[in-house]
Amino acid sequence: MKRFVLWAPLAIFALLFAVVASGLFRPADKVVRSAMVGKPLPDFALPAMVPGKPGLTSASFKGGQPRLLNVFASWCVPCIAEAPHLMRLKTMGIPIDAIAIRDTTPAIAGFLRRNGDPYARIGSDTASRVQLALGSSGVPETFVVDGRGIVVKQIIGDIREDNIGEIVQAVREAR
């Protein structure tokens, strides 16, 4: 019994160390997924962000054609990285609308001049209300929305070359 009492603190320490170490070496999933996947877009009406482009409403996603909804900002570095891939999706015939988060008209206009403009419509979400209602945790994020206004897929982070095929497939399946 005396030996047990002597070794018990070491055993407890070893067990505690093993639990902590396993938490450090196992990667945590810190991605916040939207609860909106499989549900209709929340109702919203956002004013136009740049001259010559209409604003954005949830009703504009109920026209029968699947579309992408890209949440972005001019101050977002990964948004710059994904710009060529969005342009490629546009040339493939996939309509793309956008929500500009906490941004200004001159900054967005400059961003589009420098990086290309794949968007049919851009709405201004200065207070991130629509972004939060979508369950978006940051920028950039892209949602595939079917022709009835139902969110069918969420792409977290910047779109990369290896995402193009899955996005095209998701848009095809959303028809």
Side-chain angles (χ1 to χ4, degrees):
M1 181 67 154
K2 205 175 198 184
R3 281 185 173 207
F4 176 73
V5 173
L6 287 173
W7 289 101
L10 181 60
I12 292 170
F13 175 76
L15 180 64
L16 183 61
F17 180 79
V19 169
V20 170
S22 71
L24 290 174
F25 294 111
R26 185 179 17 153
D29 184 11
K30 293 182 180 175
V31 174
V32 178
R33 305 218 184 274
S34 174
M36 295 303 297
V37 175
K39 297 179 182 172
L41 284 171
D43 287 333
F44 65 87
L46 296 172
M49 186 73 212
V50 293
K53 255 190 211 303
L56 192 61
T57 68
S58 53
S60 56
F61 288 87
K62 297 177 182 175
Q65 182 181 21
R67 324 180 60 77
L68 295 183
L69 175 57
N70 182 246
V71 180
F72 83 112
S74 66
W75 42 263
C76 162
V77 174
C79 296
I80 296 168
E82 82 171 351
H85 306 298
L86 288 171
M87 292 299 292
R88 181 167 171 219
L89 288 165
K90 178 185 178 182
T91 63
M92 295 171 82
I94 296 176
I96 307 169
D97 294 321
I99 297 175
I101 304 301
R102 293 186 224 129
D103 228 319
T104 65
T105 296
I108 290 294
F111 177 91
L112 297 175
R113 252 190 330 277
R114 287 186 305 276
N115 302 297
D117 182 1
Y119 307 116
R121 297 176 276 233
I122 303 174
S124 174
D125 191 10
T126 55
S128 296
R129 287 190 180 106
V130 176
Q131 178 191 23
L132 294 174
L134 281 168
S136 170
S137 61
V139 289
E141 266 186 59
T142 305
F143 297 87
V144 178
V145 183
D146 73 7
R148 299 170 304 159
I150 308 292
V151 177
V152 296
K153 184 172 183 63
Q154 175 188 25
I155 299 96
I156 298 170
D158 56 315
I159 292 173
R160 298 174 183 214
E161 183 65 33
D162 56 340
N163 298 118
I164 300 284
E166 74 180 81
I167 292 170
V168 169
Q169 184 64 33
V171 169
R172 281 188 191 135
E173 291 173 0
R175 291 189 174 154

